[in-house]
Amino acid sequence: MPQPIAQDQTRTLRSPQDLMRAGLVAPATVPALEAIAARYATAITPAMAALIKPDDPADPIGLQYIPDAAELITAPHELEDPTADAPFTPVKGVVHRYPDRALLKPLLACPVYCRFCFRREKVGPDGGLLTEAELQEALAWFEGNTAIREVILTGGDPLMLSARRLGEILGRLAGLAHIETLRIHTRVPVADPARVTAPLVAAMRQAKPVVIAVHANHAREFTSDAGVALARLADAGVPLLGQTVLLRGVNADAAAMEALLRAMIRNRIKPYYLHSLDPAPGTARFQVPEADGLALMAALRGRLPGHALPLFVRETPMGGGKKPVA
Ligand SMILES: *Cc1c(COP(=O)(O)O)cnc(C)c1O
Ligand code: SF4
């Protein structure tokens, strides 16, 4: 039975005190959570807080967002920079690992901070926003690198930018002759659907195709508000791809994964990647052995339409890029 939350929430929860007042953590855990808060950011939007069953410590939404004392324990295999972006950063905000495509990270802030992600690492009060000069330098890098045909906006979450700012950046990139497609990686449509306003959707209307990859990990994230946000984007002609992280306790069984993938295709999202978890510090409790992930994929084949099946990938160490798990 879904439990109502202790009190009405109209703003994002950001501190252990906020979590306690919302009834999501016990008062006795607050001191331990303060130690985590010194290193890692917390954010739980009203949309996601409303989904958490406070009396269920195994709730798959709560597990993704509520900080846990285990985060302060770094396992021997865990890395500070699991995707090894640093050596592939020609200018601030750009990651260039493949010949034809590169990432642009205009800011590092996210709508929610997922406990399994290295990007929950605290950034400054500016949210890691590139300064105007840094953004111009990054855009100049794309202008000068004519082998790049796709720009992937990521971060942080690019849909945290204002519609005007995002529209300007997309417009600049779409105006480069060698750029053929633009892509945005985001959790906003499920985590904070109210941000998908008409002006934000209008910013996707560009001279080049804009594709959105939506990150979602559990079927319950697809609330009716998320459905409205996704329909706005799909109705505007934006192709939607689905990205999921394989997480123990959240989606690592066939029933949960099937429900998630079906929720995606009902919302016009084509499941794209199922990511094996990157070994970010303090995330071992979410790790699923790759053999179990492969068995899960095998179980799903035949249970679901072929177009509902994502490709199971892992990030290769030392910046080798994403490779199918086989
Ligand atoms: C994931 C990633 C991409 C995109 O890879 P696709 O397989 O095209 O989704 C591009 N650049 C970097 C650095 C990446 O990490
Ligand atoms: S998974 Fe996405 S939204 Fe969550 S912390 Fe990482 S970058 Fe931010």
Side-chain angles (χ1 to χ4, degrees):
M1 268 289 284
Q3 301 281 317
I5 355 191
Q7 62 184 69
D8 178 44
Q9 279 162 15
T10 53
R11 63 180 188 90
T12 295
L13 307 174
R14 295 191 183 273
S15 70
Q17 293 290 332
D18 287 350
L19 297 176
M20 186 190 74
R21 278 192 293 267
L24 296 181
V25 300
T29 64
V30 168
L33 296 183
E34 296 286 2
I36 296 170
R39 172 164 181 193
Y40 296 120
T42 293
I44 310 181
T45 54
M48 292 296 99
L51 291 179
I52 298 172
K53 299 170 184 167
D55 297 331
D56 179 4
D59 179 66
I61 311 299
L63 287 178
Q64 292 185 69
Y65 301 125
I66 299 174
D68 187 289
E71 288 181 47
L72 293 177
I73 303 160
T74 299
H77 71 286
E78 292 175 345
L79 309 165
E80 292 298 327
D81 181 16
T83 57
D85 282 354
F88 297 89
T89 299
V91 298
K92 192 171 175 190
V94 174
V95 184
H96 181 211
R97 206 191 315 270
Y98 300 103
D100 69 315
R101 57 206 192 277
L103 310 183
L104 172 60
K105 303 193 280 190
L107 83 176
L108 298 177
C110 295
V112 283
Y113 288 99
C114 309
R115 308 328 296 173
F116 52 84
C117 180
F118 68 99
R119 289 181 179 130
R120 76 195 190 289
E121 201 82 48
K122 269 199 151 159
V123 292
D126 62 353
L129 191 67
L130 293 184
T131 64
E132 187 56 35
E134 288 165 344
L135 178 64
Q136 293 309 323
E137 202 186 337
L139 293 171
W141 184 89
F142 281 100
E143 193 170 356
N145 280 267
T146 53
I148 302 294
R149 296 161 79 152
E150 180 169 83
V151 186
I152 301 164
L153 272 70
T154 176
D157 196 314
L159 297 194
M160 298 292 281
L161 294 169
S162 72
R164 212 196 61 184
R165 192 82 178 129
L166 183 65
E168 282 168 5
I169 295 173
L170 291 172
R172 275 283 299 275
L173 294 166
L176 301 178
H178 56 282
I179 298 299
E180 297 176 352
T181 51
L182 303 167
R183 200 196 312 174
I184 298 173
H185 282 222
T186 180
R187 206 149 168 40
V188 160
V190 292
D192 199 1
R195 281 186 182 270
V196 184
T197 58
L200 192 81
V201 175
M204 308 300 158
R205 214 171 297 130
Q206 296 293 341
K208 308 279 171 69
V210 178
V211 176
I212 294 188
V214 179
H215 175 180
N217 299 324
H218 194 274
R220 272 174 42 221
E221 293 170 29
F222 290 86
T223 60
S224 58
D225 286 348
V228 169
L230 291 163
R232 281 184 185 162
L233 293 165
D235 289 344
V238 178
L240 302 175
L241 301 173
Q243 291 209 101
T244 298
V245 181
L246 181 60
L247 298 168
R248 187 163 74 183
V250 176
N251 56 27
D253 64 88
M257 190 59 76
E258 176 179 346
L260 169 64
L261 297 172
R262 287 195 188 280
M264 284 186 175
I265 61 173
R266 278 200 304 276
N267 284 281
R268 289 183 270 176
I269 296 172
K270 160 71 188 104
Y272 176 46
Y273 279 154
L274 174 63
H275 296 270
S276 187
L277 181 65
D278 290 336
T283 62
R285 67 195 184 285
F286 291 112
Q287 194 73 52
V288 178
E290 280 185 357
D292 293 1
L294 286 171
L296 176 64
M297 289 301 298
L300 294 172
R301 183 161 285 285
R303 259 173 100 140
L304 284 158
H307 66 86
L309 295 176
L311 186 64
F312 183 34
V313 294
R314 81 162 83 86
E315 198 71 50
T316 39
M318 315 300 289
K322 282 174 273 292
K323 297 272 161 55
V325 181

